[in-house]
Amino acid sequence: MTTYPVAAVKVSHDVLGVLADRGEAGVTEVAAALDVPKSTAHDHLRTLERVGSVVNESGRYRLSMQHLHFGKIARNNNELFVRGRDEALSLSAAVGDRKYVQLVTEENGRCAVVLATRWQRENLPSQATRIYPTHVPLHTNAPGKAILASMNSGDVERILGGQGLKRRTPATITDEDELLLELDCIREEGYATDDGELIAGMAGVAAPIVTDADVHGAIAVYSASEEFEADRDDSPVVDMVRDAADEIQANLIFAHD
């Protein structure tokens, strides 16, 4: 069981998670979701309100725009975003309106999406009813697997051992031996794929972005599954993704020369 140096901070974090999942919630709902006393939920919500993290509207709490401010600061200070944004936008223009481009890095053993083009609710397929998941386990998607394949074996073992292989869809890889074999294929081919492993009905291709011993992240293209060729090796998107990854890699190298 995971322990935390300041347990109360974890509770506040979980409160924010409930609000993020539900959009808004009252004290009773938060308490029930976290299995804590109503007084505990109330104290955390009131404290979060006073520091500006949540907004209280007639007893219903929601996240404040402060989180958007913090997120933009974190993104704008991320080197992969700074050095890869233009290439990602160029790739987005090249692949067309029916595909989405993502820049993804790794944070605390999970994917962190720093850029996702055209991922507006009105453009999503019917099965994707929420915004793009931005913090998910690495094994559940193409950019995450590309990142894992570029890490040393010790880091891979640490991440998989700490998080396990949780299932998101029926297609998600949950067997460690199967995943390790796929990581070997990704290293050989230079790209990773996702066939409905993160979101049912969506497919993706990703290439890692690595300089020397540093794994910066990956760039990916996603779309509805029927938009991709059945054989990824025959898809021009694969070469476009790998070329974009090479360009971002060069940007990162030259930035430090």
Side-chain angles (χ1 to χ4, degrees):
M1 181 177 177
T2 304
T3 59
Y4 303 92
V6 184
V9 173
K10 176 61 166 62
V11 177
S12 287
H13 173 271
D14 291 345
V15 169
L16 295 174
V18 171
L19 299 184
D21 287 340
R22 302 189 180 198
E24 63 174 35
V27 173
T28 302
E29 293 172 68
V30 172
L34 300 181
D35 194 21
V36 299
K38 287 178 62 176
S39 59
T40 299
H42 182 260
D43 288 345
H44 282 270
L45 286 164
R46 289 296 303 278
T47 301
L48 289 167
E49 179 187 1
R50 290 182 183 180
V51 299
S53 286
V54 305
V55 176
N56 179 0
E57 296 178 331
S58 302
R60 304 288 293 177
Y61 292 85
R62 63 169 175 82
L63 298 179
S64 76
M65 292 299 169
Q66 184 184 82
H67 299 278
L68 180 62
H69 174 66
F70 288 157
K72 286 184 176 181
I73 291 173
R75 182 198 63 184
N76 292 343
N77 286 330
N78 181 275
E79 190 172 28
L80 178 62
F81 176 77
V82 172
R83 306 299 175 190
R85 172 179 49 188
D86 290 346
E87 283 66 27
L89 294 177
S90 294
L91 178 60
S92 178
V95 297
D97 292 341
R98 299 179 68 84
K99 291 184 170 66
Y100 319 101
V101 174
Q102 303 152 23
L103 274 179
V104 181
T105 190
E106 177 268 331
E107 288 183 342
N108 299 322
R110 299 174 74 86
C111 290
V113 178
V114 298
L115 185 150
T117 67
R118 299 195 180 99
W119 198 265
Q120 290 80 34
R121 187 181 299 274
E122 61 269 20
N123 294 330
L124 297 180
S126 58
Q127 65 268 33
T129 58
R130 300 183 62 190
I131 62 171
Y132 189 82
T134 56
H135 277 85
V136 293
L138 295 168
H139 73 281
T140 64
N141 56 88
K145 289 186 290 183
I147 291 169
L148 276 175
S150 304
M151 291 179 167
N152 62 56
S153 58
D155 286 340
V156 172
E157 182 178 350
R158 172 181 55 80
I159 290 172
L160 299 186
Q163 298 186 4
L165 297 175
K166 296 179 182 179
R167 186 183 303 277
R168 280 190 59 93
T169 75
T172 306
I173 297 175
T174 57
D175 179 80
E176 184 169 335
D177 289 338
E178 181 182 352
L179 177 63
L180 293 177
L181 284 174
E182 179 155 346
L183 296 183
D184 285 339
C185 292
I186 293 168
R187 294 184 191 102
E188 181 177 345
E189 300 292 338
Y191 69 94
T193 62
D194 172 355
D195 290 302
E197 296 161 54
L198 179 65
I199 300 174
M202 298 292 289
V205 173
I209 300 166
V210 182
T211 60
D212 295 328
D214 294 326
V215 183
H216 296 273
I219 187 167
V221 170
Y222 268 79
S223 74
S225 297
E226 61 268 20
E227 295 293 326
F228 267 108
E229 292 79 357
D231 186 350
R232 296 290 190 273
D233 289 332
D234 291 336
S235 173
V237 174
V238 171
D239 288 335
M240 296 167 72
V241 169
R242 287 191 292 201
D243 288 346
D246 288 343
E247 291 177 10
I248 297 171
Q249 178 190 58
N251 292 346
L252 289 161
I253 291 172
F254 294 144
H256 293 281
D257 281 351

